[in-house]
Amino acid sequence: MSNRLVSFILLSLFLIGVKAQVQVDVKLDSLQLYIGQQTNLTLSVTIDAKQKLRMPDIKKGQELIPDIEVVEVGNPDTALLNEGQRMTISQAYTITAWDSAFYYLPPMQVMVDTTRYESNSLALKVHTVDVDTLHLDQFFPPNDIMELPFLWEEWRLVIYGCLLLLLMLACIAYLWYHVKHGKPIVRLIRRKKKLPPHQVAMDEIERIKSERKWAEEDSKEYYTLLTDTLRNYIRDRYGFNALEMTSNEIIERLIAENNEDALDELREIFRTADLVKFAKWSTLINENDANLVAAVEYVNQTKIEPDPNAKPEPEVIKETDQKRLTQVKIMRVAMIVLGVLSVALLAWIIWRSADLLM
């Protein structure tokens, strides 16, 4: 019988020691306050570091008991004890009361692992505010809602963001217009000094002269190059498309422009060229050279020397279609990037404006 009693006593002491490991305490910063005043209610729980704790589910705006409202719920604070073997978790609740009375605050409950523990109970006295009924003229109605002044410092980033958003939208519209019409933003062109027509013709005649194989091996190719050079010169010199006209049509068009000597030389060149190209006429080397000299003479007799005081006109070489398509692709990518940035910026402007207006 004595052994059973000793075992019961030891088991009871063990259970008491286990239960003593969990300590739940609650306290108020102030036990008395006036209506509308606030005070902090702090719940502290001391447990082993390996135990799991669940604090009471109390939210902001909730009534702890009737007429006692939770104004704010603080963040839990953890303090380690006994070299990390135990810890104390504290949770602060800011409370207030809207009616004068003596309030009883019941124990607060927590869960440690699977066991429920309760704290001590508290009492709170709420006093009313004394009203001086003898001096009613000192009572004033509540003030109207004050309009906050506009502060540039607060709205500066929002205004700058709106301006940047407008600029980005304008860029998107500009890029969309150019993409829709297939127009590049920057025309990639090369400029070089434009030579007068007679200089271009002389350079081409000099090139034909240097390649003697045309005169020696293929008279047809030789005269084709020579007459094409003269046709290009006539087109640039007189302003009509000599490349699509016959030899006789060119001569008739030039009758009013050239003297007879110049036209005689041109007629002889075109006559020989037509015979070679269409009648398979064979020419001699000296005859080819003579026609080459005649072409030079014709250009020299009909050329117009440029005005040395005039500003030289540049020749514009436009971009290729491949470069234009590359620019269009770049513009499309830029539109997508600007669109994403615009949406993000608009979202930030709305969020920031709402935050300032609250």
Side-chain angles (χ1 to χ4, degrees):
M1 189 73 179
S2 60
N3 291 334
R4 292 182 179 180
L5 179 62
V6 170
S7 300
F8 177 76
I9 293 173
L10 292 176
L11 180 60
S12 299
L13 292 175
F14 174 77
L15 294 176
I16 293 173
V18 170
K19 187 174 182 179
Q21 290 179 354
V22 177
Q23 298 178 3
V24 183
D25 182 45
V26 65
K27 64 178 180 179
L28 282 169
D29 289 353
S30 177
L31 299 177
Q32 300 185 54
L33 67 155
Y34 287 101
I35 294 176
Q37 279 189 321
Q38 299 177 359
T39 187
N40 285 332
L41 183 148
T42 304
L43 174 64
S44 299
V45 182
T46 302
I47 58 175
D48 286 341
K50 297 181 179 180
Q51 291 180 304
K52 295 182 179 180
L53 172 65
R54 188 173 67 186
M55 302 291 277
D57 187 16
I58 300 175
K59 297 181 175 58
K60 178 180 177 180
Q62 177 183 339
E63 284 191 340
L64 198 60
I65 60 173
D67 295 330
I68 301 295
E69 181 182 344
V70 178
V71 179
E72 193 66 47
V73 178
N75 295 323
D77 183 32
T78 303
L80 298 178
L81 307 172
N82 298 340
E83 298 181 354
Q85 296 183 1
R86 291 176 62 78
M87 60 182 178
T88 298
I89 297 96
S90 300
Q91 177 80 59
Y93 305 92
T94 303
I95 62 175
T96 188
W98 303 110
D99 193 10
S100 60
F102 185 82
Y103 294 95
Y104 168 74
L105 303 181
M108 302 183 72
Q109 298 181 350
V110 299
M111 290 290 295
V112 178
D113 291 334
T114 59
T115 306
R116 188 184 305 276
Y117 295 89
E118 292 185 350
S119 70
N120 53 304
S121 59
L122 295 173
L124 176 64
K125 176 65 176 177
V126 179
H127 301 276
T128 186
V129 178
D130 296 331
V131 178
D132 186 3
T133 58
L134 298 177
H135 301 86
L136 296 179
D137 58 333
Q138 296 184 2
F139 288 88
F140 302 96
N143 294 326
D144 294 333
I145 298 176
M146 295 180 61
E147 293 291 340
L148 295 177
F150 178 82
L151 298 178
W152 166 255
E153 293 297 328
E154 292 182 350
W155 288 91
R156 180 176 58 183
L157 291 179
V158 175
I159 295 174
Y160 288 160
C162 292
L163 294 176
L164 180 58
L165 179 61
L166 292 176
L167 179 61
M168 293 170 66
L169 293 177
C171 291
I172 293 175
Y174 183 76
L175 291 172
W176 178 83
Y177 171 80
H178 282 266
V179 170
K180 181 179 179 181
H181 295 83
K183 296 180 179 180
I185 296 179
V186 180
R187 298 188 64 187
L188 301 177
I189 59 176
R190 293 184 294 111
R191 294 177 177 269
K192 67 178 183 178
K193 184 179 179 181
K194 186 175 182 180
L195 298 176
H198 70 274
Q199 185 64 52
V200 176
M202 287 296 188
D203 292 343
E204 183 63 20
I205 291 174
E206 186 64 29
R207 186 186 69 82
I208 295 173
K209 180 181 177 181
S210 63
E211 297 181 3
R212 304 260 329 155
K213 64 180 181 178
W214 299 119
E216 299 172 357
E217 301 174 2
D218 192 346
S219 298
K220 182 177 179 180
E221 185 69 20
Y222 171 79
Y223 279 99
T224 298
L225 292 174
L226 184 60
T227 54
D228 285 348
T229 300
L230 292 173
R231 289 172 185 269
N232 285 323
Y233 166 73
I234 293 170
R235 178 199 59 191
D236 296 336
R237 168 66 176 81
Y238 296 103
F240 62 89
N241 193 2
L243 291 172
E244 298 182 0
M245 300 172 67
T246 64
S247 301
N248 292 332
E249 290 174 343
I250 295 174
I251 296 298
E252 292 176 1
R253 186 69 180 268
L254 292 175
I255 289 176
E257 303 288 346
N258 292 139
N259 57 53
E260 288 299 324
D261 294 339
L263 287 179
D264 288 341
E265 294 174 345
L266 189 61
R267 283 194 188 95
E268 182 61 26
I269 296 174
F270 282 152
R271 186 188 67 81
T272 306
D274 290 341
L275 290 174
V276 170
K277 289 188 289 183
F278 302 114
K280 298 183 179 180
W281 185 268
S282 298
T283 59
L284 301 175
I285 296 299
N286 58 351
E287 186 178 1
N288 295 339
D289 292 341
N291 285 324
L292 188 69
V293 173
V296 173
E297 290 295 328
Y298 174 76
V299 173
N300 285 330
Q301 292 179 25
T302 57
K303 68 180 180 181
I304 297 178
E305 293 290 348
D307 186 0
N309 298 323
K311 184 178 180 180
E313 180 182 356
E315 180 182 4
V316 177
I317 303 176
K318 297 182 180 180
E319 62 187 353
T320 62
D321 290 340
Q322 184 61 38
K323 291 182 179 180
R324 181 179 58 82
L325 293 175
T326 301
Q327 285 198 48
V328 171
K329 292 180 181 179
I330 294 174
M331 286 189 291
R332 288 176 178 170
V333 174
M335 285 176 57
I336 295 174
V337 173
L338 287 174
V340 173
L341 293 177
S342 298
V343 172
L345 181 58
L346 178 61
W348 179 85
I349 291 173
I350 295 174
W351 170 80
R352 181 60 178 169
S353 300
D355 184 58
L356 291 174
L357 293 174
M358 291 180 60

